[in-house]
Amino acid sequence: MTLDEVRKEIDKIDDHLLELLNQRMRWVQRVGEIKNKSKEIIYRPEREKQIIERLNSQSDGLLSREAIEAIFLEIFATARNIELPERIAYLGPEGSFTHQAAESRFGALSEYMTLPTIKSVFEAVETERVRFGVVPIENNQEGIVYETVDLLNETNVNIAAELKIPVHFSLATEAENPAKIKRIYSKDIAFRQCRGFLNKYFEQHSPEEIQVESTSKAAKLAAEDPEAAAICSDIAAKLFRIPVLFHNIEDNSNNRTRFFILSKKFENLPSGNDKTTLIARLPHTDEAGVLASFLQDFKEQEINLTKIESRPYKGDEDFNFWFFIELLGYFKDEKFQEVLKKHQDSIKVLGSYVRNA
């Protein structure tokens, strides 16, 4: 076949895909009407997970699981906007990794509210000015985000979902090669995580490293300065229309950040592969064995705890602590309910959600 003939066949498939997608969206619109009448929640992470797993098990072509997930997450996001447009808040600024995380789940068509602090995202969710909020919870290189943990304890919001995204930094600049770069803008953490690249590529000359409050701000400044570069995300470089000279310049290719999607009065259905996050405010934590006895109850029920972090009670003059805990399983599982019966006055369940392994 000639190239033109192959392209004509692809065009036919694209036409058919468009027809099928429009057909899917008509059914989605009907689902939205039904959910609106019954006041059901539009965003169902466990249902989306089931669809992706089913499609992946049926696929025998060139599409990997990651490719199937990327395509259908965008379809799901478009569908939700047809069912019922949602407003989503995220920790800004635009072009941040949290922005990237939000768009990866809610798509480009959703209405976004960029907020300056993690606390302001929590407030927007708690007051229901937005339906969902996206905040970072931990990075596998830098550790837990304690502000997020503390606000989960202090506010009345639920965890609707978790998501993990790879953290890739790019060197964006108008300069044609590294030798012409005199200044590099970025956030302190980005400089640390790209130190090996900087030492290697700027061995002959040492441009000034200027720390700014965000990688997005770095991209904005580099876009205005032809002798400067920014260490930033691809989404920030795209936002400020600055060319990327080098991709993936981070020293550790396994760098990942985990995010929580927050909502008010949100409850997922069980998916069969769930994680639960809770707060434990145990009495008399200054006494020996209190925490050990509490954890023993989970062991006896064969519940796997995957994380435990202690946090101090703010304003307390003594050294007393509460605990942020994550475990595998759904909060209505019989085994978890047995533990909850014993500690119902001490446990605050923040949510059960599909485990994003």
Side-chain angles (χ1 to χ4, degrees), residues 314-328:
K314 293 181 179 179
D316 194 334
E317 63 181 14
D318 294 321
F319 291 89
N320 293 320
F321 298 86
W322 54 270
F323 301 94
F324 173 84
I325 296 173
E326 295 189 332
L327 55 91
L328 299 184

Side-chain angles (χ1 to χ4, degrees), residues 27-225:
W27 283 109
V28 162
Q29 194 171 43
R30 179 64 181 136
V31 169
E33 292 169 358
I34 295 170
K35 285 185 176 180
N36 193 36
K37 288 179 181 178
S38 61
K39 305 299 182 184
E40 285 190 44
I41 296 168
I42 298 296
Y43 181 43
R44 303 280 12 164
E46 77 284 354
R47 166 67 176 155
E48 294 179 359
K49 183 81 169 181
Q50 289 168 1
I51 293 172
I52 290 170
E53 295 297 340
R54 176 175 59 81
L55 294 173
N56 182 55
S57 67
Q58 294 177 1
S59 177
D60 60 356
L62 298 177
L63 290 178
S64 65
R65 189 197 183 284
E66 290 74 19
I68 292 170
E69 184 174 37
I71 292 167
F72 276 85
L73 283 176
E74 193 63 38
I75 291 174
F76 297 153
T78 302
R80 285 196 300 272
N81 276 278
I82 289 176
E83 288 183 65
L84 180 65
E86 303 280 17
R87 180 181 293 173
I88 297 97
Y90 67 86
L91 173 66
E94 282 188 289
S96 65
F97 287 106
T98 313
H99 181 188
Q100 181 180 328
E103 280 205 359
S104 75
R105 282 299 178 271
F106 295 100
L109 297 179
S110 294
E111 181 183 351
Y112 291 101
M113 180 183 290
T114 307
L115 295 175
T117 64
I118 292 174
K119 184 176 182 179
S120 62
V121 176
F122 272 84
E123 289 174 345
V125 173
E126 190 170 31
T127 58
E128 298 186 280
R129 291 193 293 270
V130 299
R131 187 71 179 88
F132 298 103
V134 183
V135 293
I137 178 62
E138 67 176 336
N139 176 269
N140 66 348
Q141 308 299 313
E142 301 290 332
I144 202 83
V145 180
Y146 287 114
E147 183 179 2
T148 297
V149 171
D150 289 345
L151 286 166
L152 285 167
N153 178 51
E154 296 166 11
T155 60
N156 185 28
V157 301
N158 298 114
I159 300 169
E162 71 168 355
L163 62 147
K164 300 174 186 176
I165 66 168
V167 176
H168 294 306
F169 290 105
S170 295
L171 187 77
T173 178
E174 297 286 351
E176 296 177 357
N177 60 67
K180 296 183 178 181
I181 297 172
K182 296 182 179 179
R183 289 167 292 281
I184 300 177
Y185 296 99
S186 200
K187 190 173 171 61
D188 53 355
I189 187 173
F191 281 120
R192 290 201 304 271
Q193 295 187 1
C194 300
R195 181 53 56 195
F197 168 86
L198 293 171
N199 291 341
K200 180 178 180 180
Y201 279 78
F202 295 95
E203 186 177 16
Q204 301 302 319
H205 75 291
S206 299
E208 182 184 6
E209 295 182 3
I210 303 173
Q211 292 188 13
V212 293
E213 61 266 30
S214 70
T215 54
S216 298
K217 178 67 176 295
K220 182 177 185 297
L221 291 170
E224 298 168 351
D225 184 349

Side-chain angles (χ1 to χ4, degrees), residues 278-283 294 340 342-348:
L278 60 88
I279 298 294
R281 306 185 185 105
L282 304 179
F294 177 73
L340 189 60
K342 294 183 66 174
H343 302 282
Q344 57 185 345
D345 294 333
S346 303
I347 291 178
K348 173 187 177 183

